[in-house]
Amino acid sequence: MLANPFETDFLPPLQVIDAPFLTEAQVRFSILRADLSHSALSGNKYYKLKYNLLAAKKQQYSTLLTFGGAYSNHLYATAAAGKLYGFQTIGIVRGEKHEPLNATLRFATDCGMKIVYMDREKYRQKTATSVINELKEHLGEFYLIPEGGSNELAVLGCQELGAIIKSYSPDYVGLAVGTGGTMAGIIKASDKNCQIIGFSSLKGGTFLENEIEKFLDAATIYPKWLINNDFHFGGYAKSNQELFNFINDFEQTYRIPLEPIYTGKMMYGFFELIKKGFFSPHTHLLAVHTGGLQGKQSLFK
Ligand SMILES: *Cc1c(COP(=O)(O)O)cnc(C)c1O
């Protein structure tokens, strides 16, 4: 294992985007390329795992266990982190085994991750002590990282991402939201005058607000933040031709890859809000590219 896996943190670059509709809206639009941080441990997943890995190491765990769907970016990143930093990894995957393995699970397996399938009914109970104890009985001791990777230590890591964002002085920050841990960290680290907009990638109602609030301190005054639910395209992992066309156009115009689960929806929504005049002139809008490009081959047909 490396002495300190995170001795030299990568500083994601800011890429400024030009387009006629941005000039017309008189806004400055930039993209924080956190997707470039690492080929396998990319985007927000790096920040979410960082302090979990350090805690696991400090507590002398040799195995990490986590949960995810068969295309999960979190599972993929955890497998990569295990290989890079010397942990055994176990991925509990929702549903049944499908052969041949998809690209995500093949990568995870190649990294040494042991894949264990769990039926959907039990998977829903995965946070129950009885289920965790049963896993321990069968698989031995492990450091547990929740599905999607959002816990207090993940939020702490994402505060570092938030500090980088703050250093670029945006007036608005837009990011894709799944479980809300990344957004919570960014809210905590942002300037009070900044506004954070989370584009929900799933059909959530108000549960995401609650998830985020769990990580915030009730007595602290944070910057304004909100969840936008208008661009989930039918729900998690749902998409349509319009979204695919947008992503293709975006890639051709700006040479920046997006994927249809998170960053494509966020960018589509962000652009729509600009076109609708949501942002006042002379503001700096920053979109966070949270990575997630690994699942693309399987999902982008
Ligand atoms: C996991 C992921 C998210 C969601 O992060 P949360 O902390 O769960 O909200 C957003 N974008 C990408 C690309 C992701 O892989």
Side-chain angles (χ1 to χ4, degrees):
M1 186 185 298
L2 302 174
N4 175 356
F6 299 102
E7 238 155 37
T8 52
D9 275 345
F10 171 84
L11 191 63
L14 195 72
Q15 191 168 344
V16 177
I17 292 297
D18 283 320
F21 80 96
L22 296 170
T23 311
E24 198 175 310
Q26 294 183 276
V27 294
R28 175 179 146 90
F29 190 83
S30 61
I31 301 175
L32 186 75
R33 299 295 308 275
D35 58 309
L36 299 174
S37 58
H38 187 280
S39 62
L41 197 50
S42 105
N44 60 342
K45 299 301 183 275
Y46 169 84
Y47 297 94
K48 293 183 81 167
L49 285 169
K50 176 174 176 175
Y51 287 103
N52 278 293
L53 299 181
L54 291 171
K57 192 180 154 195
K58 195 165 170 209
Q59 293 163 36
Q60 299 186 326
Y61 281 96
S62 58
T63 303
L64 311 171
L65 179 139
T66 195
F67 301 87
Y71 296 93
S72 163
N73 292 335
H74 166 66
L75 216 59
Y76 184 97
T78 305
K83 185 175 177 192
L84 281 166
Y85 303 125
F87 292 99
Q88 315 259 342
T89 53
I90 302 172
I92 309 295
V93 174
R94 181 184 56 227
E96 283 126 48
K97 183 173 187 176
H98 291 284
E99 298 267 22
L101 295 181
N102 70 35
T104 305
L105 296 183
R106 192 153 18 86
F107 172 87
T109 311
D110 289 348
C111 288
M113 182 175 257
K114 181 187 171 89
I115 305 284
V116 177
Y117 296 88
M118 189 179 265
D119 68 68
R120 282 160 197 275
E121 202 184 315
K122 197 169 191 184
Y123 193 88
R124 277 193 286 276
Q125 316 286 322
K126 64 188 169 305
T127 54
T129 315
S130 59
V131 175
I132 301 298
N133 285 342
E134 197 184 316
L135 288 171
K136 283 188 180 155
E137 253 167 55
H138 286 101
L139 302 162
E141 280 297 318
F142 49 76
Y143 180 89
L144 179 70
I145 304 176
E147 181 186 40
S150 285
N151 57 15
E152 294 286 343
L153 291 177
V155 173
L156 185 67
C158 290
Q159 283 178 241
E160 293 184 358
L161 180 60
I164 295 166
I165 292 168
K166 185 180 177 180
S167 74
Y168 292 116
S169 317
D171 299 299
Y172 293 90
V173 175
L175 77 152
V177 175
T179 59
T182 306
M183 181 155 173
I186 290 174
I187 292 168
K188 284 185 146 181
S190 287
D191 188 88
K192 299 284 173 289
N193 297 316
C194 181
Q195 187 166 329
I196 325 296
I197 305 173
F199 292 91
S200 178
S201 55
L202 34 94
K203 201 159 35 180
T206 56
F207 94 97
L208 266 176
E209 278 89 344
N210 299 335
E211 288 301 304
I212 290 168
E213 265 159 15
K214 269 190 219 161
F215 293 114
L216 301 178
D217 169 10
T220 305
I221 296 166
Y222 293 107
K224 276 194 201 149
W225 60 274
L226 62 95
I227 297 287
N228 179 304
N229 280 303
D230 298 336
F231 303 101
H232 55 64
F233 287 82
Y236 184 72
K238 300 267 184 358
S239 56
N240 63 23
Q241 198 55 46
E242 194 186 347
L243 181 63
F244 287 162
N245 292 345
F246 173 81
I247 291 172
N248 279 329
D249 285 350
F250 187 92
E251 293 185 346
Q252 269 167 28
T253 311
Y254 305 112
R255 304 278 152 208
I256 299 174
L258 300 173
E259 44 65 46
I261 299 197
Y262 293 108
T263 53
K265 293 179 181 179
M266 177 275 293
M267 205 65 83
Y268 184 104
F270 216 152
F271 277 18
E272 284 300 305
L273 292 187
I274 296 168
K275 288 172 187 165
K276 283 185 189 147
F278 184 89
F279 304 103
S280 29
H282 313 297
T283 49
H284 174 198
L285 323 181
L286 185 151
V288 187
H289 195 318
T290 41
L293 298 162
Q294 63 84 20
K296 209 172 157 163
Q297 306 95 308
S298 332
L299 293 158
F300 209 116
K301 286 171 201 130

